[in-house]
Amino acid sequence: MTSPLKDDPTIDLREHVRGIPDFPKPGILFYDISTLLRHGPAWRTAMARLAALIAPYRPDLLAGIESRGFLVAAPLALELGLGFVMLRKPRKLPGLTLGLNYALEYGTDRIEMQADAVQPGQRVILLDDLLATGGTMAAGIALLRQAGAEVPAAAALIELTFLGGRQRLDVPFESLLAYES
């Protein structure tokens, strides 16, 4: 597994992530990656750095969590010559699906994948744009395991360390940027 991606060491990825206060509700600081996505050299550098972080785990497939996780996992899978699996909200995928209900801070949610997306024993790394409290990422790992996958690691562009999401995961976790508040 090799990638033609090149890391530009002069690029500071933090300069390409915009903080938007009070979104989606008062008191929340939203870390917006749209500014990173639209800057070609910074986006390519982010993908190169993420590829370097996940390559040692020797994945067979990459999985992305709807919807911003698709923006990370799909191009990275393409560059690494790997397949890509979608983990989606209920009733969004055709054919037979596997699903998992999981608890949120206030209520529950569900995540699904196509039943034939993963072969037993395949090494699948789960990706998202951001790790916050870790509930959705932990559910995604459990769903992939339910399908027979081995999940050697998970990764995201951004980790909000103050929310402790990493502690909810039982696999190694990698991120490019960590924010303490």
Side-chain angles (χ1 to χ4, degrees):
M1 175 176 53
T2 60
S3 171
L5 291 172
K6 299 291 185 217
D7 181 350
D8 182 342
T10 67
I11 292 179
D12 179 356
L13 295 177
R14 287 182 191 278
E15 293 177 0
H16 299 279
V17 176
R18 174 175 53 185
I20 299 179
D22 300 319
F23 183 83
K25 59 185 183 177
I28 301 290
L29 177 60
F30 184 83
Y31 290 94
D32 180 20
I33 65 165
S34 65
T35 46
L36 175 64
L37 291 168
R38 68 179 174 234
H39 189 277
W43 181 234
R44 181 165 287 285
T45 293
M47 290 296 95
R49 291 177 188 172
L50 202 51
L53 287 176
I54 67 169
Y57 295 102
R58 303 179 332 278
D60 298 312
L61 292 169
L62 300 183
I65 298 171
E66 185 171 344
S67 65
R68 288 185 304 267
F70 295 176
L71 299 172
V72 177
L76 192 56
L78 182 65
E79 287 290 342
L80 296 174
L82 302 173
F84 166 65
V85 175
M86 296 179 286
L87 275 56
R88 299 209 59 192
K89 294 174 182 172
R91 298 172 302 283
K92 298 289 186 181
L93 293 168
L96 186 61
T97 60
L98 299 174
L100 182 74
N101 295 321
Y102 63 99
L104 297 171
E105 291 179 33
Y106 302 102
T108 62
D109 209 344
R110 182 173 175 84
I111 194 166
E112 296 181 345
M113 63 183 280
Q114 290 175 315
D116 62 354
V118 173
Q119 299 302 310
Q122 281 189 304
R123 296 172 63 82
V124 183
I125 292 181
L126 182 58
L127 293 124
D128 206 352
D129 69 319
L130 182 137
L131 179 70
T133 61
T136 303
M137 182 80 68
I141 292 167
L143 179 58
L144 288 165
R145 287 178 176 152
Q146 179 183 320
E150 179 184 338
V151 183
L157 293 172
I158 298 168
E159 178 182 8
L160 303 181
T161 58
F162 60 96
L163 294 176
R166 180 185 292 252
Q167 285 69 44
R168 294 187 68 180
L169 308 180
D170 63 357
V171 299
F173 177 77
E174 306 286 350
S175 67
L176 293 182
L177 302 171
Y179 290 91
E180 306 297 327
S181 62

